[in-house]
Amino acid sequence: MWPARRIAGEALLSVWFGLLGAGVEALGHAGAVQIVGIGLAAGVLSPLRRVLPAAVLLVTAVGSVPFDGLVPLVLVVAWSAGRRIDGVGKAVGVFGLVYLLVLGLGLLNELPHWSLSYVIFGVLGLLVAIVVPGLAGRYSSQRRTLTDTLREYHAQLLRERAMVAGQARMRERQRIAQDMHDSLGHQLALISVHTGALEVDRELTGRQREAVGVLRAASVAAMHELREVVGVLRDGTQVPGRAEAAPDLAAAGVEDAAVWSRGVSGIEGLVEASRGAGAVVGLRRSGEVRPLSPTGDHAAYRIVQEGLTNAHKHAPGAAIVVELRYEPDSLVVEVANGPASKSTETGRSVVSGGQGLTGLSERARLVGGMVHAGPVAEGGFRLAGVLPYTSPDGGAPSPALGDAATTTFVDAAGDFREQSQAGFLGEGDPVIDGIGMPRELVKAMSANKRRSGIAIGCGVVAVIGLLLVSAAVVGGILLAGETDKAMIEPKQYDAVKVGQPEAEVRRKLPDGNSILTRDLDKGAPPVPEGAKCLSLHSTEAGSGWSTSPVFRFCFKGGELIEKKSFEVRN
């Protein structure tokens, strides 16, 4: 089904060819019925060229021989047929048949007057009117088919490349997940077992037993977080969730679900765990509480977690303040600690890879926020993050590792570069462009496409131009010869006298056997009874742009019995 724009365009084109055909027929002094009939025929054949290209080309070309109103339509129909006829053999057969039929009918139509020059004019004229548009349409169709094939091949390569990259990424993620499970899982399991055994030691005081319980709960929670991360790395799913982890956490003495929550609601659990480890931690909240996106909510939790961890490692015994400020457009999360007291320094080295702050900056960037870390004037350290309430695009949050109900994989099935179009451009199909590809690749492909198109186009244009130039040169030579056969000057007309022998007069005049003398009898004065006349063009211009002066010589009984000068309409 054609789109509305194509239907409107075809309707306007049909009306245009109908009016043009009727106008051409009117200039030839045709009757009203013939003018209307040719106009309707041209209007109907115009849209049918898309459905029945070969049949419409045959009907239009053959009909243009007796009816000049169909001549303008022949060019468009020939181009459309060359573009739509399938198969080279079928196209050559159709165009060859049409060419021979039109040439033969034209010669039969001019049988009393045709000559070698007329045949050459007919051959070259039909070549330009039928064969050249057909070749141009054929070139356009083949170039578009080649372009579509290359685009489909390129899309297939992109899909294969994405599959290979996805498989390589999956294997690497599985390797990382296995390494994390084998190394960290083993160490955390040992910590959990040893703290569990130490917790039931009767020699521990209540304070020590409480600290050991905190360590056991932290190790169990860390094991479950590790299992979640391993699940994400392996297949993009998060296992186990909070429901599966609840029994283990309860067995470890963690009864508050907020401790397991990895969002803003879990920050209080982090603070309580730090207090249980003997740290002095304060929690402040200000502003109206507003929800964050899942990614932003998790980033706030990680900022507080990293801030507390760094304070415990680098400033043991220092007071810590955790502050949550709900601003109009964002949540400000801040963890600040004072300087470490000398009495708490143990001299043991603390392992620090410097990756925590880098990861926090990346998490904040994904949600359109930022993270700042640095020392304060009083000698402590401050870690702060600004997290907007919505994601950067104002919609769904950006996926990040560790967010529940999100995935780190991006399915490329919807990538328009990996889709191929069907059919011709301009037939209502969408145009696919490689805008999403790298700029350098787009530039290189565009340059190659332009060079290839220019090379092929120049070749076709060169062939067509050579044909047209050859036709023009040959036509000019033949036209000069036809002019000598069909035109005389007024002084030649005046030099001929009525009563002179026919043979003597014909020796002084051209033979008039030319295509230029066609239709000179239309509108001419009556021919004397029994006479044979010779009509020739005058070298002078007519009295109007639509008339031509004609000299006529009539012979009877071997002598010139009449000569007349008159004008006929072109």
Side-chain angles (χ1 to χ4, degrees):
M1 184 64 182
W2 288 349
R5 184 174 61 179
R6 173 53 54 83
I7 295 176
E10 287 296 328
L12 292 176
L13 195 62
S14 299
V15 172
W16 164 253
F17 278 117
L19 295 177
L20 185 61
V24 172
E25 288 295 321
L27 292 177
H29 306 285
V33 176
Q34 181 176 336
I35 293 174
V36 174
I38 295 301
L40 291 176
V44 172
L45 290 173
S46 175
L48 285 179
R49 77 186 191 280
R50 296 181 174 273
V51 183
L52 304 171
V56 172
L57 174 62
L58 181 62
V59 172
T60 305
V62 172
S64 64
V65 176
F67 304 109
D68 295 337
L70 295 179
V71 173
L73 186 60
V74 173
L75 298 173
V76 177
V77 170
W79 180 83
S80 182
R83 187 167 177 257
R84 288 176 170 80
I85 295 178
D86 296 330
V88 177
K90 183 178 179 181
V92 171
V94 171
F95 276 88
L97 176 63
V98 171
Y99 188 87
L100 294 177
L101 282 177
V102 175
L103 181 61
L105 291 176
L107 294 177
L108 289 176
N109 193 38
E110 300 294 332
L111 187 59
H113 305 93
W114 71 270
S115 60
L116 180 60
S117 60
Y118 178 79
V119 174
I120 297 177
F121 266 115
V123 170
L124 294 177
L126 292 178
L127 185 68
V128 174
I130 297 178
V131 177
V132 171
L135 288 175
R138 194 74 185 173
Y139 161 73
S140 174
S141 174
Q142 290 179 347
R143 184 179 184 277
R144 183 156 295 151
T145 301
L146 178 60
T147 303
D148 292 342
T149 302
L150 291 176
R151 185 180 289 111
E152 184 176 354
Y153 178 69
H154 178 253
Q156 179 65 25
L157 289 179
L158 287 177
R159 289 193 293 268
E160 292 178 359
R161 186 180 68 178
M163 291 174 60
V164 172
Q167 291 175 356
R169 184 169 57 248
M170 179 62 70
R171 287 194 297 268
E172 182 64 16
R173 291 165 70 100
Q174 289 178 348
R175 185 190 66 80
I176 295 173
Q178 189 64 42
D179 288 345
M180 292 178 62
H181 179 272
D182 294 343
S183 59
L184 294 180
H186 176 70
Q187 300 298 332
L188 290 175
L190 288 178
I191 293 174
S192 178
V193 171
H194 285 292
T195 53
L198 185 60
E199 191 176 10
V200 297
D201 191 344
R202 296 180 180 180
E203 296 183 1
L204 293 180
T205 64
R207 179 66 177 172
Q208 291 172 337
R209 187 172 285 104
E210 182 181 354
V212 172
V214 171
L215 290 177
R216 175 170 168 74
S219 64
V220 173
M223 289 179 61
H224 282 284
E225 288 198 19
L226 176 63
R227 291 174 62 187
E228 259 193 83
V229 173
V230 169
V232 171
L233 285 174
R234 280 179 173 171
D235 55 5
T237 60
Q238 289 192 282
V239 290
R242 298 181 187 178
E244 291 87 343
D248 294 335
L249 293 174
V254 182
E255 300 177 356
D256 190 356
V259 175
W260 174 238
S261 173
R262 293 183 297 147
V264 174
S265 60
I267 292 177
E268 187 172 354
L270 292 175
V271 172
E272 292 298 331
S274 295
R275 289 172 180 170
V280 179
V281 184
L283 177 61
R284 302 174 185 173
R285 291 187 177 91
S286 62
E288 182 181 356
V289 177
R290 294 179 58 180
L292 281 79
S293 64
T295 309
D297 194 48
H298 182 65
Y301 177 87
R302 291 303 187 190
I303 290 174
V304 174
Q305 186 182 50
E306 182 69 18
L308 292 174
T309 301
N310 289 339
H312 292 319
K313 289 194 300 183
H314 302 289
I320 306 172
V321 176
V322 178
E323 185 173 1
L324 303 176
R325 296 199 305 271
Y326 288 90
E327 304 291 347
D329 57 347
S330 60
L331 170 64
V332 178
V333 181
E334 181 177 326
V335 180
N337 61 269
S341 61
K342 295 182 179 180
S343 61
T344 59
E345 294 180 358
T346 62
R348 293 178 298 175
S349 61
V350 178
V351 178
S352 178
Q355 301 298 319
L357 296 179
T358 303
L360 290 180
S361 298
E362 179 64 18
R363 288 182 183 274
R365 188 190 63 81
L366 290 175
V367 297
M370 60 180 295
V371 170
H372 170 76
V376 295
E378 293 79 6
F381 195 83
R382 175 176 173 267
L383 173 63
V386 180
L387 305 172
Y389 297 121
T390 58
S391 59
D393 57 359
S398 303
L401 183 64
D403 285 342
T406 61
T407 177
T408 57
F409 293 112
V410 178
D411 188 6
D415 192 346
F416 68 88
R417 295 174 297 166
E418 300 179 13
Q419 301 171 358
S420 59
Q421 64 177 2
F424 291 132
L425 296 178
E427 299 290 338
D429 298 324
V431 177
I432 298 180
D433 199 1
I435 299 176
M437 293 183 289
R439 184 177 303 173
E440 294 78 7
L441 181 57
V442 173
K443 185 181 298 184
M445 292 183 62
S446 300
N448 291 334
K449 184 185 294 184
R450 285 196 298 270
R451 284 195 293 267
S452 301
I454 291 174
I456 299 174
C458 287
V460 175
V461 170
V463 173
I464 295 176
L466 182 61
L467 292 175
L468 293 178
V469 171
S470 302
V473 173
V474 175
I477 297 174
L478 294 177
L479 183 61
E482 295 296 314
T483 302
D484 293 338
K485 297 178 183 180
M487 301 184 71
I488 61 174
E489 298 180 358
K491 63 182 180 179
Q492 292 178 274
Y493 173 78
D494 295 336
V496 176
K497 306 297 182 181
V498 176
Q500 288 182 340
E502 179 179 356
E504 180 182 351
V505 173
R506 288 190 179 275
R507 282 197 301 270
K508 297 179 181 179
L509 301 175
D511 59 11
N513 188 16
S514 170
I515 60 174
L516 299 179
T517 58
R518 289 172 37 187
D519 301 330
L520 290 183
D521 296 331
K522 292 182 179 180
V527 178
E529 184 178 356
K532 294 183 179 180
C533 299
L534 171 64
S535 298
L536 301 172
H537 282 280
S538 173
T539 56
E540 292 184 340
S543 59
W545 66 273
S546 62
T547 59
S548 298
V550 178
F551 297 137
R552 189 178 69 180
F553 304 90
C554 295
F555 304 96
K556 184 178 180 181
E559 64 178 22
L560 179 65
I561 63 172
E562 180 189 70
K563 69 173 187 176
K564 280 187 176 296
S565 174
F566 53 89
E567 290 187 347
V568 296
R569 297 183 63 86
N570 295 327

